[in-house]
Amino acid sequence: MTKIIKNKTLTFISSISAITIIFIVFNCFIILEDYKKLEYEQNIKHIKSLISLIEENIRINNKNSTIFTASNELFSLIKEGKNIVKTKDILNSLNIDLLIFQNNSSSFYISSSQNSIKNMQTLKEEVIKIYKEFDNFNTIIEINKELFLITKTNHLNNTYYALKELSLKKLKGFSKNFSEINFIDEHIYSTNSNYKFNSLYFKKIELHTNIETTKVINKISFYGYKNKFLFSLELSNDSILIKEGKETITIFIIFVSIFLALLFYITYIYQKTVKKHNNELEEKVEERTHQIQSALNELEKVNLKLYDLAHTDFLTKTMNRRHFFMHAQNIFNIAKKNQKNLCVIMIDIDKFKQINDNYGHDMGDRVLISFSDCIKQHLNSEDIFGRLGGEEFAIVLNNYKLEDAIKKAEELRNEIEKIQIYIKDDIINITASFGITDIKNMKNIDEMLQKADTHLYSAKNSGRNRVRSRLNLI
């Protein structure tokens, strides 16, 4: 017997070891993938931030260009070529590095007083050549490994190109999330793009991201008007989150290993003592099984009582408000889906408060019970009947047309008139008012009940002991 227990212990430990190893490998893979996903999401946020900064610079350049061209004084300075120093200072104050002026006969440029752009004549010719056929626009373009914010504006048959240099150094200063930012000649297209960006100034932005063990490398291409390629950047950064993920996995493996060692020890102690207590446990299990079965039988009875209390009105033994609404909504949904007929009847016992005031609440309870019993005797198994509160009741008639529901309500009204409740030497007769509506143009059961309630009040106001529906309004 000891040998059998020992063999079972070894088998159990071996199984646990194999399962644990599989568990560790699987979870390491899951954790690493989660960190890769976090790395990618953070990388996208950094790229969006960089794009937003670039677009903000384009917007500012456009705003400054608009201020320049809107000023008649500045326009005169440019057109007449007067006071170049003042013009340069104005360009500097508007943060415009280079202004290119072009009309039908000539073109020239003016730079700001703090401009550091080299080969401005070549730059002017390149800009005019590229964008001569384009209308007013705002964009950014790479020329000779430098980025320029460009705003083209037409004003009084003259064309202005406002340029602002955006060097890689400035770009790196904008976004400190990337350790390296460089120009590349590669064009990224939709077929190898990982993510789609929405942009106000770029027709499309295509991204290809490669997340490696130690680095995250992004290649991003910007396209302008008519999908014209503008420039491509390579953005790289250290894989910080993946490194953290590896550290987390190492800690996880250590904890699991400790847990496994403890589990092996506990399993060994348990297997060593299990045989000794086996017979005692069997007796106890048999005894407890009997006790549990008895408890389950009692619990079932209690559950039935609780269900009845939760779903049934204690006095009238009909559905309570909550249970009624739940079933009524389900029937409404089925009828609406299958385009079946459905009607709702709201019923209110006439002068019920007067009965309570004159005869007491005990007599009021007898009236409610007699009323409910009368209604239930004349309903089908498919119909639902519930007490909504006080002397107010509701019925849902499944597969009933409005005309048939009115006939049913009249039948119930006549039966209620026959109710007689004896008290000493007196007899109490009761009546009820009915409001009916059908499913036509209704969105939910609440709307049906509200409409039926409106017709019910119409019946009350018409003298009580009546049936009212939309047909009475025609």
Side-chain angles (χ1 to χ4, degrees), residues 306-313 318-320 322-324 326:
L306 289 174
Y307 182 86
D308 189 55
L309 288 172
H311 296 83
T312 306
D313 180 62
T318 61
M319 289 185 183
N320 60 19
R322 176 178 175 275
H323 196 201
F324 175 84
M326 181 176 67

Side-chain angles (χ1 to χ4, degrees), residues 285-303:
V285 166
E286 186 177 353
E287 181 182 352
R288 292 295 296 166
T289 300
H290 178 73
Q291 293 175 354
I292 290 172
Q293 188 60 49
S294 299
L296 287 174
N297 293 336
E298 291 298 321
L299 182 61
E300 186 176 358
K301 294 178 183 179
V302 172
N303 284 338

Side-chain angles (χ1 to χ4, degrees), residues 347-353 356 368 371 387 389-393 460:
I347 313 172
D348 190 89
I349 301 174
D350 296 331
K351 299 182 180 180
F352 181 76
K353 184 178 182 303
N356 275 335
L368 291 171
F371 170 84
R387 182 184 180 190
E391 68 274 23
E392 193 173 54
F393 295 79
K460 288 281 189 183

Side-chain angles (χ1 to χ4, degrees), residues 363 366-368 370-371 419-423 426-430:
M363 179 54 63
R366 288 178 60 187
V367 168
L368 291 171
S370 299
F371 170 84
I419 296 175
Q420 292 184 333
I421 302 174
Y422 295 90
I423 176 171
D426 197 3
I427 299 175
I428 297 177
N429 296 100
I430 62 173

Side-chain angles (χ1 to χ4, degrees), residues 68-84:
F68 187 91
T69 55
S71 172
N72 291 329
E73 179 186 356
L74 298 177
F75 176 73
S76 298
L77 288 173
I78 292 292
K79 186 175 181 181
E80 298 172 9
K82 297 179 179 179
N83 204 337
I84 300 299

Side-chain angles (χ1 to χ4, degrees), residues 151-186:
T151 297
K152 180 179 180 182
T153 308
N154 292 314
H155 183 68
L156 300 177
N157 296 321
N158 299 304
T159 300
Y160 297 88
Y161 298 89
L163 279 72
K164 173 66 180 176
E165 184 181 13
L166 184 61
S167 65
L168 284 181
K169 183 178 179 181
K170 291 180 182 178
L171 204 59
K172 291 176 182 178
F174 289 153
S175 179
K176 298 180 180 179
N177 297 313
F178 298 102
S179 58
E180 295 182 20
I181 302 177
N182 296 300
F183 289 112
I184 56 174
D185 295 327
E186 184 177 351

Side-chain angles (χ1 to χ4, degrees), residues 404-448:
D404 296 331
I406 293 172
K407 292 179 182 178
K408 188 67 177 180
E410 289 290 355
E411 176 189 342
L412 294 174
R413 188 184 64 79
N414 292 328
E415 292 297 327
I416 291 169
E417 285 182 334
K418 298 176 183 178
I419 296 175
Q420 292 184 333
I421 302 174
Y422 295 90
I423 176 171
K424 295 182 180 180
D425 297 329
D426 197 3
I427 299 175
I428 297 177
N429 296 100
I430 62 173
T431 61
S433 299
F434 295 73
I436 309 173
T437 189
D438 57 356
I439 198 171
K440 184 177 180 181
N441 298 327
M442 296 296 169
K443 298 178 181 178
N444 51 53
I445 196 66
D446 289 331
E447 190 175 348
M448 288 189 72

